[in-house]
Amino acid sequence: MRWQLEKHAKSRLDLPDETIRQFGVAMNTGDRLGDPYIDAAFATREGKARARKDVELALERGIESVTDPSKELLALFEQINTDPEWVDWSTVEHGAEVFRRYGKELYPYFGMITFAGYATRTINRPLALTGAYTGNSAFHRFLETCRFWTDTTEPGALRPGGAGRRSAVLVRVLHSIIRHTLLPHPEWDRLELGVPISQLGMFQTLMASSHFPGQQLKLLGYRPTDQDIVAMMHHWRYVGYLMGFEPTWYPETVTDGFRAQLLISLGEEPDFGPDSESLCRSFMDTYLPSRDARGLRRAMGNLRYRAALGHSIFYLGADLHKASGLPDPGVWRYAPLARIVPNFARETARRNIPGAAGWIDQVHRMTRRGFLQQNLEGGEAKFEPVEKLTR
């Protein structure tokens, strides 16, 4: 693994032993401020009913608008409302613009590279217990995540009052509720698994939203510079800050990004089993035609499913695709190659034709919103926990 990544990075990928140890500790660490707020709020029926409403009110009108706020809520919003010393807002906006260049094509990519995460117990166990990405709920939960990606990467969206800031904080609350619910569950072995949605898990998500696509999607004709990828990492670092991520180390160069990728890749041994296979199938089954589809509609749905399988094996590699329990797509494994020429041409125009970058950005913003409006009821996400665990 190290040799392969060093070949791409063109550099040695060493990390201090203390940094590696601290990320091991991070597997047993949740949200320092969000978790105490939810634990305190859920200790009483009244507090549980108010927990999310108070957060939404504080986001919309300010913490001073909340009646009799708890000390935990005050501490939470003191952190949210205080910019970290490392943040550079021009780089945050640059990173959001780079993310938008991929348009809605980035969403199925994210859905499929998550299969690698499904192979780890720290990720597949919470999803299996909550049922959040299984059965009929899989596509809806995926769409809510697409809403989150869209909200957090619109221009100015992370500033106070912005839709991205609201979505990031509401997902933070959701994660704290999940930790509160799963930690006492008999199937959750904290000595082995740490905490659900740990600091290391958050780090993995941030890298998968920035460095990973910045490097891997070059294969499909995208042309981000090293500066672009660093800006995406910085953007997602601030999103992580709003969500309670507090790293001891964070990548500030592309080479650092490869170091992070190595650390994440070796952090947990893959463990494919019924939970991981069920999660992968649930996501891919959303591409199948509906049961009542007939004729051309059914034929087109089956082609769409085969193309999606092709993208899965292209992104993941044959071994991981097969371990996910998914069928071989045959010649459809080459379907992603059809995207290379149009992507490369668009990227070249963006770089060289005055005004093209702004026009492409507007089109991508419009198509992202259209995709959500068409598929997600009302175009909005609730970011609410499941009412009942699956087991």
Side-chain angles (χ1 to χ4, degrees):
M1 181 71 74
R2 178 187 291 273
W3 176 81
Q4 289 178 347
L5 288 174
E6 286 183 342
K7 183 173 66 172
H8 289 292
K10 299 181 177 61
S11 175
R12 287 188 59 81
L13 300 179
D14 297 319
L15 277 171
D17 288 344
E18 178 59 18
T19 298
I20 297 171
R21 188 195 69 81
Q22 288 170 344
F23 273 97
V25 172
M27 294 183 72
N28 198 35
T29 308
D31 182 346
R32 177 176 60 89
L33 297 172
D35 293 353
Y37 169 64
I38 289 300
D39 289 343
F42 276 42
T44 66
R45 181 176 298 180
E46 179 187 0
K48 183 175 182 179
R50 283 185 51 179
R52 181 184 162 105
K53 294 178 181 178
D54 283 353
V55 170
E56 290 191 272
L57 184 60
L59 286 168
E60 183 179 349
R61 301 182 186 178
I63 187 63
E64 62 278 359
S65 65
V66 178
T67 303
D68 192 23
S70 67
K71 66 179 187 297
E72 291 84 4
L73 182 63
L74 290 172
L76 177 63
F77 271 86
E78 182 180 3
Q79 182 257 328
I80 291 170
N81 293 332
T82 303
D83 281 352
E85 60 181 13
W86 50 260
V87 71
D88 182 299
W89 279 102
S90 63
T91 306
V92 169
E93 293 298 338
H94 178 194
E97 183 273 324
V98 175
F99 190 93
R100 295 195 300 271
R101 290 178 197 170
Y102 298 92
K104 66 178 183 179
E105 183 175 22
L106 200 53
Y107 297 163
Y109 166 80
F110 282 152
M112 292 169 195
I113 65 166
T114 305
F115 292 177
Y118 293 165
T120 61
R121 281 171 290 182
T122 56
I123 292 179
N124 67 42
R125 188 66 57 82
L127 294 175
L129 290 176
T130 60
Y133 282 88
T134 56
N136 295 330
S137 70
F139 191 53
H140 179 79
R141 289 290 179 174
F142 170 69
L143 289 172
E144 287 205 334
T145 310
C146 293
R147 175 81 265 175
F148 167 77
W149 290 322
T150 300
D151 286 348
T152 52
T153 55
E154 284 289 288
L158 297 179
R159 293 285 194 173
R165 193 180 189 90
R166 177 182 182 274
S167 289
V169 175
L170 290 183
V171 172
R172 178 179 188 171
V173 171
L174 171 62
H175 287 172
S176 289
I177 294 174
I178 291 172
R179 293 187 201 97
H180 178 87
T181 304
L182 292 187
L183 277 173
H185 194 284
E187 285 195 43
W188 191 267
D189 184 348
R190 183 164 184 172
L191 289 177
E192 179 183 2
L193 302 175
V195 302
I197 316 176
S198 69
Q199 289 282 312
L200 182 62
M202 289 188 244
F203 183 54
Q204 177 177 335
T205 300
L206 299 179
M207 289 297 99
S209 302
S210 54
H211 182 265
F212 293 5
Q215 297 296 339
Q216 190 173 12
L217 293 183
K218 291 177 181 178
L219 297 173
L220 295 186
Y222 289 98
R223 304 177 64 188
T225 64
D226 284 357
Q227 185 180 10
D228 289 336
I229 295 172
V230 168
M232 269 206 298
M233 291 194 297
H234 189 80
H235 170 272
W236 282 102
R237 182 180 183 181
Y238 185 71
V239 176
Y241 175 80
L242 293 175
M243 298 177 70
F245 177 58
E246 298 179 301
T248 55
W249 171 81
Y250 191 85
E252 296 184 356
T253 66
V254 167
T255 302
D256 278 350
F258 281 109
R259 291 189 176 99
Q261 188 171 349
L262 177 64
L263 187 150
I264 290 168
S265 299
L266 300 180
E268 187 174 355
E269 185 178 2
D271 179 43
F272 280 97
D275 284 344
S276 58
E277 291 184 10
S278 174
L279 289 163
C280 294
R281 283 197 307 271
S282 293
F283 178 82
M284 292 303 297
D285 285 353
T286 63
Y287 288 93
L288 286 168
S290 60
R291 293 183 178 181
D292 61 350
R294 296 291 184 273
L296 180 62
R297 184 179 164 205
R298 187 168 191 83
M300 294 300 294
N302 284 324
L303 290 179
R304 181 181 66 175
Y305 177 67
R306 288 292 169 185
L309 288 174
H311 280 75
S312 170
I313 201 170
F314 184 85
Y315 295 143
L316 300 173
D319 291 342
L320 183 54
H321 176 91
K322 183 177 180 180
S324 301
L326 298 170
D328 190 313
V331 296
W332 284 97
R333 71 182 60 222
Y334 303 110
L337 300 180
R339 300 297 309 154
I340 294 177
V341 172
N343 286 343
F344 187 84
R346 184 178 62 252
E347 285 282 275
T348 302
R350 177 187 58 77
R351 286 184 168 196
N352 297 288
I353 300 176
W359 179 80
I360 291 169
D361 188 47
Q362 290 296 322
V363 170
H364 278 161
R365 289 176 64 196
M366 181 177 64
T367 55
R368 295 195 312 174
R369 290 193 299 266
F371 170 76
L372 290 170
Q373 197 68 37
Q374 179 181 357
N375 292 283
L376 185 60
E377 184 179 354
E380 299 298 329
K382 297 179 180 179
F383 304 124
E384 293 179 345
V386 296
E387 295 182 2
K388 186 178 180 181
L389 297 181
T390 57
R391 60 179 190 251

